[in-house]
Amino acid sequence: MDQDKILEEARAFAEERLGSETTGHDYWHSIRVRDIAMLIQKEEGGDPFIIQLTALLHDVGDWKFVGGDEETGQRMIKEFLENHVDEITADRVLSIIMAKKYRGPKEESQAVNKETQIIQDADRLDAIGAIGIARAFASGYHFGQVLYDPDFPPDVEQSAEEFKKQYTGEKKNTTVNHFYEKLLLLKDKMLTDTGKRMAEGRHQFLEIYLKQFFKEWKNE
Ligand code: ADP
Ligand code: NI
């Protein structure tokens, strides 16, 4: 099967699997990540086929949103890959999807290949700015979070293990806390120069949004 046909089937697979997802991890998130990733690829290089294929598949079966565990989501992607690409390509795509995951405010940036850097930056760019804010509140509803609680401060010192607890039901969080524990930190975690540049405007918008949010909260 030629690469264009594989990419079209990956697109259709994402559409079928993610079309009705309501937490901001829907089909259009995959398309946006693909398009952002290819803008970065133009500047930074990297294998365009691997980048597009990974972007389209990366959130199919994300365990945090479909329920179940990490393996269930991986299995869906694995099955698609087994039917469409060779083993080496399949392993490359799966390893990028595993490597790019956010591991809490204290995560260390890993020494990774170009394609992983680009997918990670693109996925994270779609988590900030106006679209990122919309996605955060939609996800917050999914996790049963309140918007904001002045008696519940964010924890930017927590470990990856602690951070994961909000997704297993062991811990509650608020969506405004998520801004401090993830979204506002993403600008400085960008791995490519192009990603860093693209993050600036979106980051500024997060700050403007929070300023207004607290202004209204205090009736100023
Ligand atoms: P990653 O693939 O990097 O692990 P996720 O799939 O966890 O990223 O998150 C993608 C987006 O989902 C986040 O940037 C955010 O918009 C939303 N999200 C994840 N966790 C939360 C949360 N606890 N509260 C609000 N939004 C969240
Ligand atoms: Ni994503």
Side-chain angles (χ1 to χ4, degrees):
M1 203 183 287
D2 72 33
Q3 292 191 339
D4 285 347
K5 179 103 172 64
I6 296 169
L7 291 175
E8 169 49 27
E9 294 206 359
R11 190 206 59 72
F13 179 64
E15 188 172 28
E16 180 197 315
R17 293 287 168 165
L18 298 168
S20 57
E21 212 291 325
T22 55
T23 67
H25 292 73
D26 55 295
Y27 167 65
W28 289 108
H29 165 64
S30 310
I31 297 294
R32 289 193 302 271
V33 171
R34 179 195 66 186
D35 293 347
I36 297 169
M38 289 306 286
L39 284 175
I40 302 176
Q41 189 274 344
K42 271 204 187 81
E43 304 291 326
E44 311 266 344
D47 182 328
F49 175 67
I50 294 284
I51 290 169
Q52 291 176 87
L53 184 58
T54 309
L56 289 168
L57 298 177
H58 83 278
D59 267 335
V60 169
D62 187 326
W63 65 281
K64 295 194 285 319
F65 300 98
V66 297
D69 49 26
E70 238 160 334
E71 265 172 45
T72 316
Q74 282 257 319
R75 210 174 312 124
M76 285 190 225
I77 300 173
K78 238 185 199 153
E79 239 175 73
F80 178 90
L81 290 167
E82 272 165 15
N83 293 326
H84 291 83
V85 294
D86 60 70
E87 218 176 308
I88 293 171
T89 307
D91 286 348
R92 279 178 80 188
V93 171
L94 288 168
S95 78
I96 297 172
I97 293 172
M98 285 312 289
K100 66 137 195 88
K101 287 197 185 318
Y102 185 69
R103 296 181 166 79
K106 304 298 275 183
E107 75 169 8
E108 294 286 337
S109 186
Q110 297 158 2
V112 285
N113 55 53
K114 184 69 57 191
E115 290 79 13
T116 308
Q117 294 178 348
I118 290 176
I119 291 292
Q120 177 168 312
D121 281 2
D123 196 22
R124 293 177 176 197
L125 282 163
D126 204 51
I128 57 180
I131 291 176
I133 293 170
R135 295 182 67 221
F137 285 104
S139 297
Y141 169 79
H142 174 80
F143 297 127
Q145 295 173 179
V146 295
L147 306 181
Y148 170 60
D149 179 350
D151 297 327
F152 184 176
D155 179 3
V156 292
E157 298 298 328
Q158 64 187 307
S159 64
E161 221 167 69
E162 272 310 299
F163 189 80
K164 204 171 169 179
K165 287 183 181 166
Q166 65 191 304
Y167 302 117
T168 54
E170 288 167 86
K171 243 175 139 178
K172 272 268 172 274
N173 206 357
T174 77
T175 299
V176 168
N177 279 356
H178 188 68
F179 280 65
Y180 294 92
E181 293 167 358
K182 179 177 181 184
L183 308 187
L184 289 164
L185 308 178
L186 294 181
K187 172 176 73 75
D188 293 329
K189 292 178 187 284
M190 288 288 136
L191 297 172
T192 66
D193 289 341
T194 311
K196 279 189 185 100
R197 219 169 42 241
M198 290 171 80
E200 276 167 25
R202 293 172 187 238
H203 178 86
Q204 272 170 22
F205 192 77
L206 294 180
E207 291 187 327
I208 292 166
Y209 175 81
L210 286 171
K211 213 166 154 194
Q212 178 70 17
F213 185 99
F214 290 118
K215 224 169 139 183
E216 292 174 16
W217 193 275
K218 295 179 203 146
N219 285 312
E220 282 173 6

